[in-house]
């Protein structure tokens, strides 16, 4: 499997940076579930409006939805993050 190993050596180091974090949170880091969930909220709430009169009104709508989403999940601790909170805080000191 030398061609596979050589291919792995050529990978940009930033691509696999999530391996530097504790194992408990890696799945949350590389998963897109939270992004997909937010996109579904936007689609569901924008559908009844069908058309926005200006680009600024669409930007404002998405901004309001993002702030609402952040407020709703502000105190939520994502899977695994509660177990390694001290470790993560030490990374950013």
């Amino acid at each position: 499997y030398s061609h596979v190993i050589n291919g792995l050596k050529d990978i940009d180091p930033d691509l696999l940076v999530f391996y530097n974090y504790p194992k408990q949170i890696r799945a949350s880091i590389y998963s897109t579930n939270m992004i997909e969930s937010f996109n579904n909220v936007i689609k569901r709430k924008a559908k009844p409006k069908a058309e926005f009169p200006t680009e600024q009104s669409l930007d404002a709508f998405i901004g309001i939805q993002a702030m609402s989403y952040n407020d709703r999940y502000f105190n939520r601790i994502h899977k695994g993050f509660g177990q390694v909170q001290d470790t993560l805080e030490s990374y950013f000191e």
Side-chain angles (χ1 to χ4, degrees):
Y1 299 107
S2 62
H3 65 286
V4 173
I5 292 172
N6 289 335
L8 289 173
K9 289 179 183 176
D10 294 337
I11 291 177
D12 183 14
D14 292 336
L15 184 63
L16 302 175
V17 75
F18 66 90
Y19 280 111
N20 295 339
Y21 290 92
K23 187 176 182 177
Q24 295 91 329
I25 64 170
R26 288 183 196 157
S28 295
I29 293 172
Y30 66 77
S31 171
T32 60
N33 290 344
M34 292 182 81
I35 296 168
E36 290 172 8
S37 171
F38 178 68
N39 287 341
N40 288 335
V41 168
I42 294 293
K43 287 177 188 176
R44 188 173 52 248
K45 291 190 176 188
K47 194 175 234 178
K49 305 211 181 329
E51 228 175 85
F52 290 91
T54 64
E55 192 170 327
Q56 284 100 1
S57 65
L58 176 60
D59 287 345
F61 173 78
I62 292 174
I64 290 168
Q65 296 305 316
M67 289 188 310
S68 171
Y69 192 82
N70 286 340
D71 288 343
R72 199 171 334 132
Y73 295 106
F74 180 73
N75 290 324
R76 177 181 174 200
I77 296 178
H78 207 269
K79 180 182 177 184
F81 279 79
Q83 300 169 1
V84 294
Q85 188 169 0
D86 295 336
T87 306
L88 293 174
E89 288 174 359
S90 71
Y91 288 169
F92 299 102
E93 289 179 345

